[in-house]
Amino acid sequence: MRAVLALASLSIAFAPSGASAMTLPEAIAMARRANPDLAQVQAQSDAALARLAQARAGRLPSLTLSAEAASGTSDLGGFFGFGQSDVTPRAVSLQLRQPLFSGGAVSAAVAQAGEERSVALAEVVGAAALLSAQVAGAYVGVLSAQDMLALSRAQVAQMETITTQARLRFKAGEIPRTELDQAMAREAESHAALARAEGQLARSRAHFVSLVGVEADDLETDIASPATPASLDEAIATASRSSPLLLGAQAAERAAQAGVRRARAERAPSLALSATAGAARDQFFPGYRADGVTVGIQGRWALFSGGLVSGRVDEAGAGLRLAQARLDAARNQVREAVIGAWGDVATSRAVRTAATNQARAATSALDSVRHEVRLGQKPLLDLLDAEREALAAQNALVAARGEATISIYRLNALLPAQ
């Protein structure tokens, strides 16, 4: 029993794997290609890039071709010598327009769209980092569930052996009925634990599929933990430079500033160079013909808008204050999250060390109790209790090792590489 428990609980860190086993980095890469949540964020980023292209188009010339044609009857009542006649009025126009001055509206629109694109990119980086942590949790969750299932099966086998021996000793008059009943109760308890372990493995595998998109049939059990910053101060400094939440909030503030400039630019005049070439036939009377080319400057200046422009400026100003408040909140949130995640890493490592010592001591105690029960120095209940404590310690060790790995990925999700 001791060897079975030890080997089962150590599989996460030390068990060999097959040549075709899926590694954690491979699972993360597969999830990034197929995960629907990440695909949604990436689509939003693509939409932001398209809006940036639209904003830049405001600086470029536009060429517009328009045409019309109709058929009908014209009756000028004798004016100009024309009576009733059939006509086919038609016209075509080609206009080239080049913006010259917009009061800064186009530049502000481009800046705003560019910063909104930066917000979208930060969201993609953050979503990818979060997905990595989630996949790590699902990956370790499957391995831990497999180990706990192996432990539960070993425990069932051991309890069945103890119960069989208890029946023989009861028939021989060596132990009272109470000890046999206790052994049978612990055997039933072990079967219930096995059923729970099987259910947990099924849930873990289903969660893995929902994130990665493939079955967790053959996972590499030798997990190399990623590097972490050397100190908490370094982690906070790194998060201040690369946290997607903070970078997104900073870009959102700059976008809001550009939005204020864009709204204010509506008060300024705009100028554009226009060149038009056109031709018309039968438009005003039968046989009418006109061809022309014009080049000039078009200007526009809204002198009064009934408060429309002022309202837009005030709205943009309120949006800027909102973005600034969110940036302040993001700074506090990132710092708090990094400190908490750093503490979780340190705690999980300490718990893993303690769980290792506990499992070692519980296994040693189980061997001693088993020997003492065999010699009749202790009742069978003590052996049953020792078996339960050893199993609990091994399960705790499996969970502690998994949490130590997951906590590192959670920390790194707060400060991903750019």
Side-chain angles (χ1 to χ4, degrees):
M1 177 63 178
R2 177 179 182 180
V4 173
L5 291 174
L7 289 175
S9 65
L10 292 177
S11 65
I12 287 182
F14 302 110
S17 60
S20 61
M22 181 191 302
T23 65
L24 178 52
E26 289 172 346
I28 292 174
M30 293 180 66
R32 290 188 175 187
R33 290 194 299 268
N35 185 264
D37 293 334
L38 183 58
Q40 293 179 44
V41 180
Q42 290 171 334
Q44 293 172 354
S45 176
D46 293 340
L49 180 59
R51 289 192 293 271
L52 176 58
Q54 295 173 41
R56 288 172 174 166
R59 293 171 171 167
L60 304 176
S62 60
L63 185 63
T64 304
L65 176 65
S66 58
E68 61 180 14
S71 179
T73 301
S74 174
D75 188 354
L76 298 181
F79 284 99
F80 306 108
F82 292 103
Q84 183 175 353
S85 60
D86 295 332
V87 294
T88 55
R90 55 199 182 278
V92 62
S93 174
L94 183 65
Q95 183 184 50
L96 175 66
R97 189 175 186 277
Q98 171 63 58
L100 299 177
F101 177 74
S102 63
V106 174
S107 297
V110 171
Q112 184 177 18
E115 296 301 340
E116 290 174 349
R117 164 68 169 166
S118 297
V119 173
L121 288 175
E123 290 176 349
V124 171
V125 173
L130 178 60
L131 179 61
S132 297
Q134 292 173 337
V135 172
Y139 190 102
V140 172
V142 171
L143 294 180
S144 297
Q146 290 174 346
D147 283 351
M148 290 183 179
L149 179 59
L151 289 169
S152 295
R153 286 173 175 167
Q155 184 72 3
V156 167
Q158 184 66 14
M159 288 297 102
E160 289 176 347
T161 299
I162 291 176
T163 302
T164 300
Q165 294 174 350
R167 286 194 179 95
L168 295 175
R169 296 180 63 187
F170 173 72
K171 290 180 179 179
E174 297 178 6
I175 61 173
R177 178 71 191 189
T178 302
E179 292 192 11
L180 174 59
D181 291 339
Q182 290 170 337
M184 294 172 64
R186 293 297 175 87
E187 180 186 349
E189 180 183 87
S190 69
H191 281 282
L194 176 59
R196 287 192 295 269
E198 291 172 342
Q200 181 58 46
L201 178 57
R203 287 191 296 271
S204 298
R205 290 175 62 87
H207 182 53
F208 183 90
V209 172
S210 70
L211 289 174
V212 182
V214 298
E215 293 288 344
D217 291 330
D218 188 10
L219 303 183
E220 170 66 64
T221 55
D222 186 8
I223 302 176
S225 296
T228 59
S231 66
L232 175 58
D233 290 339
E234 182 181 340
I236 294 175
T238 301
S240 299
R241 296 190 304 268
S242 63
S243 168
L245 176 63
L246 190 54
L247 292 177
Q250 291 169 343
E253 182 194 29
R254 295 191 296 269
Q257 292 172 346
V260 172
R261 298 195 301 272
R262 183 178 182 181
R264 289 173 176 171
E266 294 188 38
R267 293 171 173 165
S270 62
L271 295 174
L273 174 65
S274 176
T276 304
R281 301 289 185 272
D282 277 4
Q283 277 200 328
F284 303 108
F285 52 82
Y288 176 84
R289 178 187 180 93
D291 299 301
V293 175
T294 60
V295 179
I297 299 294
Q298 295 179 345
R300 180 181 179 277
W301 193 354
L303 301 178
F304 178 73
S305 63
L308 176 62
V309 175
S310 297
R312 289 174 177 171
V313 172
D314 292 342
E315 180 183 5
L320 175 58
R321 294 193 299 275
L322 175 61
Q324 291 170 338
R326 286 177 173 172
L327 176 57
D328 292 338
R331 289 194 182 101
N332 296 332
Q333 184 178 348
V334 167
R335 179 180 176 83
E336 178 184 358
V338 170
I339 292 174
W342 182 268
D344 290 343
V345 171
T347 299
S348 64
R349 287 171 174 170
V351 170
R352 180 180 59 188
T353 300
T356 301
N357 295 333
Q358 179 187 4
R360 185 181 299 114
T363 302
S364 177
L366 174 60
D367 286 344
S368 299
V369 172
R370 184 180 292 117
H371 178 69
E372 292 168 353
V373 170
R374 189 182 305 115
L375 297 178
Q377 296 175 348
K378 285 188 175 181
L380 182 60
L381 179 59
D382 288 348
L383 175 58
L384 298 175
D385 289 340
E387 291 281 358
R388 175 188 284 175
E389 291 174 3
L391 176 63
Q394 295 291 347
N395 284 337
L397 178 56
V398 170
R401 282 177 172 154
E403 183 60 29
T405 298
I406 295 172
S407 64
I408 294 176
Y409 276 89
R410 288 173 181 162
L411 172 63
N412 287 349
L414 300 173
L415 32 97
Q418 298 299 299

